[in-house]
Amino acid sequence: MRAEPLDAEAIVSATEEVLRRHGPDKATVVDVARLLGVSHGSVYRHFPSKAALREAVTRRWLDRVREDLAAAAGDPATAPADRLRGLLVTVFAAKWAKARQDPELFATFQVLAAEHSAVSSAHIAFLLDRIRAVVVDGIADGAFAGGDPEVIARAVLNATSRFHDPRHVAEWGSPEVEAESEGVISLIVDGIRAR
Amino acid sequence: MRAEPLDAEAIVSATEEVLRRHGPDKATVVDVARLLGVSHGSVYRHFPSKAALREAVTRRWLDRVREDLAAAAGDPATAPADRLRGLLVTVFAAKWAKARQDPELFATFQVLAAEHSAVSSAHIAFLLDRIRAVVVDGIADGAFAGGDPEVIARAVLNATSRFHDPRHVAEWGSPEVEAESEGVISLIVDGIRAR
């Protein structure tokens, strides 16, 4: 049995480890408790259900994706079209890398995305917000055609679902995925530019 | 026991009926034979496996979708941008209607699409071909910017995955799906037009 006090962070780390070993379907709270050397009651005191634990793991995992994207909105001195392109390339690359490096945690994220969980919705809102910021700057700058930045940002995110939505993970291993994403990015950037 | 000779078409119709009742996971060749009043050996003489039967059903089902789309490439006298818009709206509406009206057959199509079956690939090739034809006309006409029509058609299909790819069926019931698809179509049509 462990001596140090059990905190939420340690439970989330142990759950990540259990998910990596067993996958989202088979991992249980008992596995997490066993890895930590505590009773499952101790885990339940921090997280009332397996679902809550899964949400906490995905939230921390998406926080890391978010850090990868922190710099991706780019230098405001860069042309808005290049910033939009850079942002999309970075979002796709981050998702593809996570899916490849951590397939079991990615599968957990897929489960939550399919359930439209709060964690998954917050991640979509974060991506929309980054895209919207570039669109607002591009319209102000005159580089982008006018329009409602909210509607445009949503259209950009929807038009690129194939490259960031976890439902498409099976295609991300294809040798063509990068060229295909380039084709869609070019179409979008051309669609958004001022005429 | 049935008197008339058993043909492939009758087996496919019976399989559709069985799939509608039981769904793709539970439907068996024995169910199909029972509905037809024949031995399962008689079914196997026409279709060597459950997979072959599932392909045949999906092929016929997609042929019907294809008929719905036959007129959708539109009048060649119409502006290419309007033809492209009309084609995409028709493709999405046909998929959404099929998913709603025939959820069990749609689920069968989803299984085949996930397996990249020949039937599913042929359907993608058909959609690409229709889009490419409009793109070729639009470039010849001067209404669309130049480029490789193959690459452009693929980008259009990929940018609209959310609205025609069976992996996204769960979203097609959303009250926003039509407005969201309009946003993506506008972005694409603007991206493809000559400057």
Side-chain angles (χ1 to χ4, degrees), chain A residues 161 167-168 171 190 195, chain B residues 162 167-168 171 190 195:
Chain A
S161 293
R167 268 167 291 208
H168 289 277
E171 280 139 283
D190 281 345
R195 295 184 162 262
Chain B
R162 189 173 198 92
R167 267 167 292 209
H168 289 278
E171 281 139 280
D190 280 345
R195 290 181 168 267

Side-chain angles (χ1 to χ4, degrees), chain A residues 116 151-152 154-165 167-171 180-181 183-184 186-195, chain B residues 116 151-152 154-165 167-171 180-181 183-184 186-195:
Chain A
H116 300 282
V151 171
I152 296 170
R154 174 70 68 175
V156 169
L157 197 68
N158 284 339
T160 54
S161 293
R162 190 172 197 91
F163 308 109
H164 63 73
D165 188 310
R167 268 167 291 208
H168 289 277
V169 66
E171 280 139 283
E180 294 202 343
S181 71
V184 170
S186 294
L187 194 60
I188 287 173
V189 171
D190 281 345
I192 219 169
R193 280 192 302 156
R195 295 184 162 262
Chain B
H116 299 283
V151 172
I152 296 170
R154 173 72 68 176
V156 169
L157 197 69
N158 284 339
T160 54
S161 294
R162 189 173 198 92
F163 308 110
H164 62 74
D165 188 308
R167 267 167 292 209
H168 289 278
V169 66
E171 281 139 280
E180 294 203 345
S181 72
V184 170
S186 294
L187 193 60
I188 287 174
V189 170
D190 280 345
I192 218 168
R193 280 192 302 157
R195 290 181 168 267

